[in-house]
Amino acid sequence: MSQRTRIKICGLTREEDVAAAVRAGADAIGFVFYPKSPRYVSAERAAALAATVPPFVSTVGLFVNPSLEEVQAVLARAPLTLLQFHGDETPQQCAAIAAAVVRPFVRAARIGSATRPDDLLEYELQYRSASRFFSGLLLDTLVEEYGGSGKAFDWSLIPKELAPRAVLSGGLSVRNATEAVAGVRPYAVDISSGVESAKGIKDAARISAFIDAVRLADATQA
């Protein structure tokens, strides 16, 4: 029996894009609370968007080096089911925020040319040991900016034992989704710019085609 790769569409800013992602079969919807991002939404805007999300579709908040008070302020308005940390947060900082707001979290691991497979396993262990709220690593590309790169990294750096519990991100698109999922076999994938017509504006046809490409890889598992 083939595994169904979970799919998150991130950086949503419009009701019609949320509807398109849900209609296409996304498992999770992501909102960016990093003010420097072109996909930034306020807590009030995220609340309005989240109100259109049906049951059993997760709502994820992406944060970059937030204070506890900032996360609490967002959660007071927007019903998020999962936190996603994309900055320089230490295991202890993530653990403290997650415990205070009682939410699970994923931690972005930014992968560069100097990254080694053992580094990722150790990174995961540090966060898992620090908090019972840790859900897993999101594997992204190391670039100067925070909050998602839109660029791919060397997938061969991902340890085979880590892939089934990790989220693959960074540079995914309709063109490479099938290859990425078939080669890595991650638990989930996360895409933002790869399904956009402009920054912060999603394209319904690209979302649907991306999800179809992931499902094609799922259907061809050995």
Side-chain angles (χ1 to χ4, degrees):
M1 183 176 179
S2 63
Q3 174 183 315
R4 187 177 71 83
T5 305
R6 270 57 174 184
I7 299 171
K8 172 173 167 275
I9 308 297
C10 195
L12 296 169
T13 63
R14 307 187 303 169
E15 283 84 352
E16 56 264 46
D17 296 339
V18 173
V22 169
R23 185 169 59 249
D27 300 282
I29 302 298
F31 305 120
V32 177
F33 298 105
Y34 180 48
K36 293 183 179 181
S37 170
R39 301 167 186 89
Y40 168 77
V41 292
S42 66
E44 292 77 8
R45 183 69 184 130
L49 294 170
T52 69
V53 177
F56 307 122
V57 175
S58 299
T59 50
V60 184
L62 186 157
F63 296 89
V64 175
N65 300 325
S67 66
L68 170 58
E69 291 73 22
E70 289 170 337
V71 176
Q72 288 174 323
V74 169
L75 287 171
R77 296 169 175 82
L80 304 178
T81 53
L82 184 72
L83 308 179
Q84 184 172 320
F85 293 113
H86 256 268
D88 304 305
E89 303 91 354
T90 66
Q92 293 72 30
Q93 288 170 328
C94 290
I97 292 174
V101 300
V102 196
R103 294 291 192 287
F105 71 93
V106 295
R107 180 68 171 95
R110 304 168 75 208
I111 300 172
S113 58
T115 304
R116 296 293 176 261
D118 286 348
D119 297 336
L120 295 175
L121 292 172
E122 175 60 27
Y123 198 64
E124 182 197 38
L125 179 61
Q126 291 175 5
Y127 284 86
R128 192 171 301 282
S129 299
S131 176
R132 65 186 179 89
F133 290 102
F134 175 71
S135 290
L137 293 182
L138 182 143
L139 309 177
D140 202 354
T141 308
L142 176 63
V143 292
E144 290 186 5
E145 66 271 15
Y146 292 116
S149 67
K151 298 178 180 179
F153 62 90
D154 182 357
W155 300 328
S156 70
L157 295 173
I158 303 172
K160 294 296 184 183
E161 62 268 41
L162 175 63
R165 57 181 182 270
V167 181
L168 180 63
S169 186
L172 294 176
S173 68
V174 174
R175 294 185 301 277
N176 66 13
T178 302
E179 176 191 0
V181 173
V184 176
R185 294 300 179 195
Y187 178 76
V189 291
D190 187 337
I191 190 169
S192 182
S193 61
V195 290
E196 289 182 335
S197 57
K199 289 185 177 180
I201 305 299
K202 300 306 191 238
D203 183 285
R206 292 182 192 180
I207 291 174
S208 181
F210 176 77
I211 292 178
D212 286 346
V214 173
R215 296 292 169 244
L216 178 61
D218 287 348
T220 58
Q221 291 186 58

